[in-house]
Amino acid sequence: MLKKLLLIVILFSAFLLNAQVTCVPVFPGPDDNVVITFNANEGNRGLVNETGDIYAHTGIITDASTSLKDWKHVKFQWSVNDPSVRLLPLGNGLYSLNISNIRSFYGATPNEKILKLAFVFRNSNGSKEGKTAAGEDIFYDVYSTGSALKTLIITPTTSTIFTSVGQNISFKGAASVSSNLTLTDNGSVIATATGAKELIKSIDITTEGSHKVTFKAETGGNIDSSFFSYVVPVQLVPADPPVGFELGANIKGDSVTLLLQAPNKQNVFVMGSFNDYKVDTKYQMRQSVDGKTWWLTIKGLTLGQTYTYQYLVDGLTVADPLSTLVLDPINDNFISSLTYPNPLSYPTNKTTGHVSVLEIGKTPYVWKNSNFTRPEKKDLIIYELLVRDFVNRHDYQTLIDTLAYLKNLGINAIELMPINEFEGNESWGYNPAFHMALDKYYGTPDKFKEFVDKCHENGIAVISDVVFNHAYGQSPLFKLYADGSNPSINSPFLNVVATHPYSVGYDFNHESEFTKNYVSRCLKYWLTEYHIDGYRFDLSKGFTQNKSTEATASNYDQSRINILKNYHQVIQSTTPGAYTILEHFCENAEESELANAGIMVWANVNYDANEATMGWTGNGLSNFSAKKRGWNDTRHDKHIAYMESHDEERLMYKNAQFGNSVAGYSIKNDITIALKRMELISSFFYLVPGPRMLWQFGELGYDVSIGFNGRVGNKPIRWEYFTDNARKRLYNVTRNLIALRKNNPAFKTINYTDADLATGYLKAYHIQENDFNATILGNFDVAAGDINPYFQKTGKWYNYLTGDSITVTDKNAIIRLLPGEYRIYTSVRQPQPPGGYVRYTVTSTDDFANEVNEFMVYPTPSVSHNMLIGYNLSKGGNVQWSVYNMVGQPVHFSPTKSLPSGSYQDELNVPLPTGTYLIKLTVNGAIATKKLVIN
């Protein structure tokens, strides 16, 4: 089916693709000598004005090719500048390539059927490419002996021409064999030739409107035809669009009003499934009085029906830059129907490239948690994740099924890496194509809404990572104003050259009113349509027109401040209290000014935290004092600290690669010790006031390098870590620390002392709020050490994580800490941690035997979902059980219960699909596992 679909696309697009390449002979056979002429002025114009040599990267499509990407017999690798594929410059952007016998040149066997020649043209170092206008490979058909009658339009070289009355169009068409040739304009015959292979005609333009010119060849009962269109636009009087409409599509009942900002363009038409993708003056857009905006109202659409559409702008076909959903003719074919059920069909044989989607009269999603109260900024515990690398099915439904795990951990916000339409499917998402369209690779719009709704039901805010520093080549904003492979000098959206040294893609000009309108529209849309709770702006340092170097990019920039404040105000005016978070990393004066406006900024503590976990904290190498930035205490609620994000090397990976080691204590070689170091750093990280963020699976000690499979390549999904006792212990410690800071207001105070966090191996941190005090101690050395705890008072102190207590008679009495040991003392006993008390050593099977006399799951195998979990507690204590599938993903958690000794029987009444599961029983931190089979 896929191969058939690709062949349809090939046949439809052949005329468009051949516009950049002509061939002599026009209808080459597989054993012909041919001359290929490449026109660098056509297509993407990536090689326009190239002064150096140009080479053909070329191969063939044969009957063995599975797709247009499956080139056979490729001549030389991309970087090889072989003279046999160097083009001869002819002047005026034209280049030629002589191919002596197609089959011999490519090395095809006599039995292979050659269907097409395939090309990408490039400069000598491969930095510039000549491809189609859509950025695709270029193909030219090859005709076998006895092929059916074929026609080809040689000129004009584009499928749609805009012209005016009084002009003329030079036409030249060819047939593969001598035939009776006819040329018609909207059905009226304008030229004929008998027994000819070629027809030439100058077509006079006499009337306004849309014209289809058809070139037909007929011989011996065989007929073939090709066509192109020309349009004489109607002279519409400029007028402003109706008041109250936004840029993009505005659906009202059975009509839609489309608004496109495209200044300095001459004519814009709408093509879509409502007019069979024909260029029709009935769908010609009217220009606003100021010339900046084009608009059209289309009435009489069918309620409940989904339509697709594109814009034709001065002959260039693009999707709506402000699409809310797009169809991709290539990448959509690889999206699972489980992830995106019942996908809309692409308008094959009607158009090419991305198309925009219109859903007329769609039943709106019914929100169940529309009154969600967002966590205060200072209380945020954000869990950053990439859907693709977090759940195996990379979809929102699986995320919904995993919310119990995250809620149990205690986080109150999820930050999703970009979910708007990006190029391809497998991506981190920082290559945006359409900023306002949901990428279908992760699921449907309604399923994403359900995910947000479920998050809110569980007290979790949803933050979207957005990329407004740049756009990529598939973006209509680039295509509309492209000059070859770069934005044109008159682009109202993009800079020809980025103003800062960190940019990728095409850099936005955020001082342009058009960029501001575009970004503001996108920001408002996601907040209102999907009820998300805020944004994290990627590379916000780049939102400036002031040119900089790496040495100056972080300097105070008033223009950048003004731009970001403006976007923040757009967010606040749309959804008061929504979060604005910046990946900024500029000087304190600028970040403080932004913080004073209510904006939060990222604060990377990865280096210092990792030096500490690896045991290299001496000589001031690890300073994770919250005050080291020099900010006032009142700014800590705007300073989102993180030990790991998507951009940092994983702490546990570096522990295993570079950890300090001495006899009897090796961070590098003992994973249990390395994980305990993560507990140690977490006890300081989570208990400092201010918002915090963790990267997916950090709570389980994820230890796969960021460089695995390439930086942005797929990473292993490690749900099985949750079944490992030492890793589950880290999860529970993290959970307990989050619970302590969330449930005790003292950990939100600015009354703390962290001077001892700056230097040395032995670190202490103190909190004092009213009658409550806390002292956190830790030894980051690889040897035991003595620390002065500086307790704030004498009396009883309680170890929060273990439940033990000590009586302090001397506030400065030295405490000896083992390497990697940490203690969290509070002057008031806290409730038992939700993850249970933990020992300083990892629990073993013997530990479980000391807690439980008996543990069973029955009946199994079973055809019922009503299982019983039986256990006999020898001592009593904190009990929880959980269910996992065989890839380690959590399916169900029971509430944590504090029980006395005795026998218990719990009912597991959860609908589970047929399969094998693991039941884990945790008692006082000790764990045992039983298998459960559902037939």
Side-chain angles (χ1 to χ4, degrees), residues 169-180:
I169 298 172
S170 296
F171 173 84
K172 182 178 181 180
S176 57
V177 298
S178 296
S179 308
N180 296 326

Side-chain angles (χ1 to χ4, degrees), residues 497-503 507 541-557 560 586:
V497 178
T499 61
H500 57 94
Y502 305 105
S503 190
D507 186 53
K541 184 185 297 186
F543 288 31
T544 178
Q545 287 302 100
N546 292 323
K547 295 183 179 180
S548 64
T549 65
E550 287 195 35
T552 63
S554 299
N555 292 354
Y556 185 93
D557 186 333
R560 178 169 57 202
C586 290

